[in-house]
Amino acid sequence: PRGSWATTAPHGNPEGSFDISRLAVAAGAVFVARAAVSQPVKLSRYIEKGIRKKGFALIEALTPCPTSYGRRNRLGRPVDHLLWLRDHVVDAGRKASAEEEERQGDAAEPRLVTGIFADCERPEYTARYRDLVESLAGEDPGPPLPEREVVTAWAEREEEHRP
């Protein structure tokens, strides 16, 4: 979060939080889920489902880092981190309250929405590419691509100017 100290932000983080799950949904992932380590059964199920899914899947595991992040930000004992995480997750199944909680943004007591955000079926990229290659098999590829005169001229010019 903004202002927090981390190994990668030794002077404090100037940026707000980044929602990787929303990015994955927008990019077309077939399965996107988020769970906390304080929800081990749910997290395990999401990981298994993501592995079995054909196509791109993202499972975001929310986990505290007491050894570096916790110490730098004076957040207490490792068990306190787990308790905080347990108390601040909201299941996306409680949609109305989850959306309300998400709108809080940088509030003092943010809520972390967990659940499945995308779960759909679509042909995997490699399968679609294989189908395309097979559909083009035996077709006339057309004339060969022209020589790259520009690149050749640039390379010759570079040779002339080398010491």
PDB file of all heavy atoms in Angstrom, residues 19-39:
ATOM      1  N   ASP A  19      -4.297  -4.125  -8.465  1.00  0.00           N
ATOM      2  CA  ASP A  19      -5.162  -5.305  -8.437  1.00  0.00           C
ATOM      3  C   ASP A  19      -4.830  -6.233  -9.605  1.00  0.00           C
ATOM      4  O   ASP A  19      -5.343  -6.086 -10.703  1.00  0.00           O
ATOM      5  CB  ASP A  19      -6.633  -4.869  -8.493  1.00  0.00           C
ATOM      6  CG  ASP A  19      -7.582  -6.001  -8.158  1.00  0.00           C
ATOM      7  OD1 ASP A  19      -7.215  -7.178  -8.348  1.00  0.00           O
ATOM      8  OD2 ASP A  19      -8.703  -5.707  -7.718  1.00  0.00           O
ATOM      9  N   ILE A  20      -3.946  -7.193  -9.356  1.00  0.00           N
ATOM     10  CA  ILE A  20      -3.496  -8.123 -10.387  1.00  0.00           C
ATOM     11  C   ILE A  20      -4.641  -9.010 -10.888  1.00  0.00           C
ATOM     12  O   ILE A  20      -4.674  -9.383 -12.059  1.00  0.00           O
ATOM     13  CB  ILE A  20      -2.295  -8.972  -9.893  1.00  0.00           C
ATOM     14  CG1 ILE A  20      -1.645  -9.755 -11.032  1.00  0.00           C
ATOM     15  CG2 ILE A  20      -2.699  -9.916  -8.784  1.00  0.00           C
ATOM     16  CD1 ILE A  20      -0.871  -8.917 -11.983  1.00  0.00           C
ATOM     17  N   SER A  21      -5.600  -9.330 -10.029  1.00  0.00           N
ATOM     18  CA  SER A  21      -6.717 -10.177 -10.453  1.00  0.00           C
ATOM     19  C   SER A  21      -7.580  -9.465 -11.490  1.00  0.00           C
ATOM     20  O   SER A  21      -8.006 -10.070 -12.473  1.00  0.00           O
ATOM     21  CB  SER A  21      -7.561 -10.601  -9.246  1.00  0.00           C
ATOM     22  OG  SER A  21      -6.838 -11.503  -8.445  1.00  0.00           O
ATOM     23  N   ARG A  22      -7.851  -8.184 -11.280  1.00  0.00           N
ATOM     24  CA  ARG A  22      -8.631  -7.427 -12.275  1.00  0.00           C
ATOM     25  C   ARG A  22      -7.907  -7.347 -13.602  1.00  0.00           C
ATOM     26  O   ARG A  22      -8.522  -7.413 -14.660  1.00  0.00           O
ATOM     27  CB  ARG A  22      -8.931  -6.025 -11.764  1.00  0.00           C
ATOM     28  CG  ARG A  22     -10.026  -5.985 -10.746  1.00  0.00           C
ATOM     29  CD  ARG A  22     -10.410  -4.565 -10.448  1.00  0.00           C
ATOM     30  NE  ARG A  22     -11.419  -4.550  -9.398  1.00  0.00           N
ATOM     31  CZ  ARG A  22     -12.035  -3.467  -9.009  1.00  0.00           C
ATOM     32  NH1 ARG A  22     -11.774  -2.308  -9.569  1.00  0.00           N
ATOM     33  NH2 ARG A  22     -12.929  -3.526  -8.054  1.00  0.00           N
ATOM     34  N   LEU A  23      -6.593  -7.178 -13.558  1.00  0.00           N
ATOM     35  CA  LEU A  23      -5.811  -7.135 -14.788  1.00  0.00           C
ATOM     36  C   LEU A  23      -5.915  -8.458 -15.540  1.00  0.00           C
ATOM     37  O   LEU A  23      -6.107  -8.480 -16.755  1.00  0.00           O
ATOM     38  CB  LEU A  23      -4.344  -6.823 -14.490  1.00  0.00           C
ATOM     39  CG  LEU A  23      -3.424  -6.808 -15.705  1.00  0.00           C
ATOM     40  CD1 LEU A  23      -3.806  -5.694 -16.672  1.00  0.00           C
ATOM     41  CD2 LEU A  23      -1.979  -6.648 -15.267  1.00  0.00           C
ATOM     42  N   ALA A  24      -5.821  -9.567 -14.831  1.00  0.00           N
ATOM     43  CA  ALA A  24      -5.907 -10.884 -15.463  1.00  0.00           C
ATOM     44  C   ALA A  24      -7.282 -11.102 -16.089  1.00  0.00           C
ATOM     45  O   ALA A  24      -7.393 -11.651 -17.190  1.00  0.00           O
ATOM     46  CB  ALA A  24      -5.602 -11.990 -14.444  1.00  0.00           C
ATOM     47  N   VAL A  25      -8.346 -10.672 -15.420  1.00  0.00           N
ATOM     48  CA  VAL A  25      -9.699 -10.781 -15.983  1.00  0.00           C
ATOM     49  C   VAL A  25      -9.776  -9.960 -17.265  1.00  0.00           C
ATOM     50  O   VAL A  25     -10.265 -10.428 -18.301  1.00  0.00           O
ATOM     51  CB  VAL A  25     -10.768 -10.330 -14.966  1.00  0.00           C
ATOM     52  CG1 VAL A  25     -12.134 -10.210 -15.631  1.00  0.00           C
ATOM     53  CG2 VAL A  25     -10.833 -11.292 -13.791  1.00  0.00           C
ATOM     54  N   ALA A  26      -9.270  -8.729 -17.219  1.00  0.00           N
ATOM     55  CA  ALA A  26      -9.313  -7.853 -18.392  1.00  0.00           C
ATOM     56  C   ALA A  26      -8.483  -8.399 -19.548  1.00  0.00           C
ATOM     57  O   ALA A  26      -8.810  -8.175 -20.712  1.00  0.00           O
ATOM     58  CB  ALA A  26      -8.834  -6.454 -18.017  1.00  0.00           C
ATOM     59  N   ALA A  27      -7.417  -9.136 -19.225  1.00  0.00           N
ATOM     60  CA  ALA A  27      -6.552  -9.705 -20.258  1.00  0.00           C
ATOM     61  C   ALA A  27      -7.123 -10.993 -20.849  1.00  0.00           C
ATOM     62  O   ALA A  27      -6.562 -11.542 -21.789  1.00  0.00           O
ATOM     63  CB  ALA A  27      -5.162  -9.975 -19.679  1.00  0.00           C
ATOM     64  N   GLY A  28      -8.234 -11.487 -20.313  1.00  0.00           N
ATOM     65  CA  GLY A  28      -8.886 -12.651 -20.890  1.00  0.00           C
ATOM     66  C   GLY A  28      -8.558 -13.980 -20.249  1.00  0.00           C
ATOM     67  O   GLY A  28      -8.764 -15.034 -20.858  1.00  0.00           O
ATOM     68  N   ALA A  29      -8.063 -13.974 -19.035  1.00  0.00           N
ATOM     69  CA  ALA A  29      -7.771 -15.236 -18.352  1.00  0.00           C
ATOM     70  C   ALA A  29      -9.054 -16.051 -18.200  1.00  0.00           C
ATOM     71  O   ALA A  29     -10.128 -15.489 -17.983  1.00  0.00           O
ATOM     72  CB  ALA A  29      -7.156 -14.973 -16.981  1.00  0.00           C
ATOM     73  N   VAL A  30      -8.939 -17.373 -18.319  1.00  0.00           N
ATOM     74  CA  VAL A  30     -10.124 -18.225 -18.213  1.00  0.00           C
ATOM     75  C   VAL A  30     -10.479 -18.548 -16.761  1.00  0.00           C
ATOM     76  O   VAL A  30     -11.615 -18.908 -16.478  1.00  0.00           O
ATOM     77  CB  VAL A  30      -9.963 -19.534 -19.022  1.00  0.00           C
ATOM     78  CG1 VAL A  30      -9.887 -19.246 -20.505  1.00  0.00           C
ATOM     79  CG2 VAL A  30      -8.762 -20.335 -18.557  1.00  0.00           C
ATOM     80  N   PHE A  31      -9.506 -18.396 -15.865  1.00  0.00           N
ATOM     81  CA  PHE A  31      -9.789 -18.631 -14.450  1.00  0.00           C
ATOM     82  C   PHE A  31      -8.962 -17.658 -13.624  1.00  0.00           C
ATOM     83  O   PHE A  31      -7.744 -17.592 -13.763  1.00  0.00           O
ATOM     84  CB  PHE A  31      -9.459 -20.073 -14.043  1.00  0.00           C
ATOM     85  CG  PHE A  31      -9.830 -20.385 -12.618  1.00  0.00           C
ATOM     86  CD1 PHE A  31     -11.155 -20.604 -12.272  1.00  0.00           C
ATOM     87  CD2 PHE A  31      -8.865 -20.451 -11.634  1.00  0.00           C
ATOM     88  CE1 PHE A  31     -11.509 -20.877 -10.953  1.00  0.00           C
ATOM     89  CE2 PHE A  31      -9.197 -20.724 -10.315  1.00  0.00           C
ATOM     90  CZ  PHE A  31     -10.534 -20.940  -9.977  1.00  0.00           C
ATOM     91  N   VAL A  32      -9.643 -16.886 -12.776  1.00  0.00           N
ATOM     92  CA  VAL A  32      -8.970 -15.943 -11.883  1.00  0.00           C
ATOM     93  C   VAL A  32      -9.625 -16.059 -10.516  1.00  0.00           C
ATOM     94  O   VAL A  32     -10.851 -15.982 -10.402  1.00  0.00           O
ATOM     95  CB  VAL A  32      -9.088 -14.486 -12.387  1.00  0.00           C
ATOM     96  CG1 VAL A  32      -8.405 -13.531 -11.415  1.00  0.00           C
ATOM     97  CG2 VAL A  32      -8.495 -14.339 -13.784  1.00  0.00           C
ATOM     98  N   ALA A  33      -8.801 -16.265  -9.502  1.00  0.00           N
ATOM     99  CA  ALA A  33      -9.314 -16.384  -8.137  1.00  0.00           C
ATOM    100  C   ALA A  33      -8.301 -15.790  -7.163  1.00  0.00           C
ATOM    101  O   ALA A  33      -7.116 -15.687  -7.474  1.00  0.00           O
ATOM    102  CB  ALA A  33      -9.571 -17.846  -7.794  1.00  0.00           C
ATOM    103  N   ARG A  34      -8.814 -15.414  -5.997  1.00  0.00           N
ATOM    104  CA  ARG A  34      -7.964 -14.869  -4.936  1.00  0.00           C
ATOM    105  C   ARG A  34      -8.415 -15.474  -3.616  1.00  0.00           C
ATOM    106  O   ARG A  34      -9.607 -15.552  -3.334  1.00  0.00           O
ATOM    107  CB  ARG A  34      -8.103 -13.355  -4.881  1.00  0.00           C
ATOM    108  CG  ARG A  34      -7.288 -12.696  -3.778  1.00  0.00           C
ATOM    109  CD  ARG A  34      -7.622 -11.214  -3.596  1.00  0.00           C
ATOM    110  NE  ARG A  34      -7.349 -10.445  -4.785  1.00  0.00           N
ATOM    111  CZ  ARG A  34      -8.162  -9.488  -5.255  1.00  0.00           C
ATOM    112  NH1 ARG A  34      -9.286  -9.200  -4.632  1.00  0.00           N
ATOM    113  NH2 ARG A  34      -7.857  -8.821  -6.338  1.00  0.00           N
ATOM    114  N   ALA A  35      -7.438 -15.891  -2.818  1.00  0.00           N
ATOM    115  CA  ALA A  35      -7.720 -16.383  -1.467  1.00  0.00           C
ATOM    116  C   ALA A  35      -6.522 -16.062  -0.596  1.00  0.00           C
ATOM    117  O   ALA A  35      -5.420 -15.828  -1.092  1.00  0.00           O
ATOM    118  CB  ALA A  35      -7.990 -17.886  -1.473  1.00  0.00           C
ATOM    119  N   ALA A  36      -6.753 -16.042   0.691  1.00  0.00           N
ATOM    120  CA  ALA A  36      -5.692 -15.754   1.651  1.00  0.00           C
ATOM    121  C   ALA A  36      -5.193 -17.048   2.274  1.00  0.00           C
ATOM    122  O   ALA A  36      -5.903 -18.050   2.301  1.00  0.00           O
ATOM    123  CB  ALA A  36      -6.229 -14.819   2.737  1.00  0.00           C
ATOM    124  N   VAL A  37      -3.969 -16.997   2.787  1.00  0.00           N
ATOM    125  CA  VAL A  37      -3.435 -18.183   3.462  1.00  0.00           C
ATOM    126  C   VAL A  37      -4.224 -18.491   4.721  1.00  0.00           C
ATOM    127  O   VAL A  37      -4.152 -19.603   5.237  1.00  0.00           O
ATOM    128  CB  VAL A  37      -1.927 -18.047   3.769  1.00  0.00           C
ATOM    129  CG1 VAL A  37      -1.119 -18.028   2.499  1.00  0.00           C
ATOM    130  CG2 VAL A  37      -1.636 -16.827   4.629  1.00  0.00           C
ATOM    131  N   SER A  38      -5.020 -17.538   5.176  1.00  0.00           N
ATOM    132  CA  SER A  38      -5.910 -17.795   6.314  1.00  0.00           C
ATOM    133  C   SER A  38      -7.151 -18.567   5.868  1.00  0.00           C
ATOM    134  O   SER A  38      -7.990 -18.908   6.686  1.00  0.00           O
ATOM    135  CB  SER A  38      -6.321 -16.477   6.977  1.00  0.00           C
ATOM    136  OG  SER A  38      -6.970 -15.630   6.054  1.00  0.00           O
ATOM    137  N   GLN A  39      -7.259 -18.853   4.564  1.00  0.00           N
ATOM    138  CA  GLN A  39      -8.343 -19.661   3.981  1.00  0.00           C
ATOM    139  C   GLN A  39      -7.713 -20.845   3.242  1.00  0.00           C
ATOM    140  O   GLN A  39      -7.839 -20.969   2.027  1.00  0.00           O
ATOM    141  CB  GLN A  39      -9.147 -18.813   2.986  1.00  0.00           C
ATOM    142  CG  GLN A  39      -9.710 -17.530   3.550  1.00  0.00           C
ATOM    143  CD  GLN A  39     -10.185 -16.598   2.450  1.00  0.00           C
ATOM    144  OE1 GLN A  39      -9.464 -16.280   1.525  1.00  0.00           O
ATOM    145  NE2 GLN A  39     -11.439 -16.165   2.567  1.00  0.00           N
TER     146      GLN A  39
END
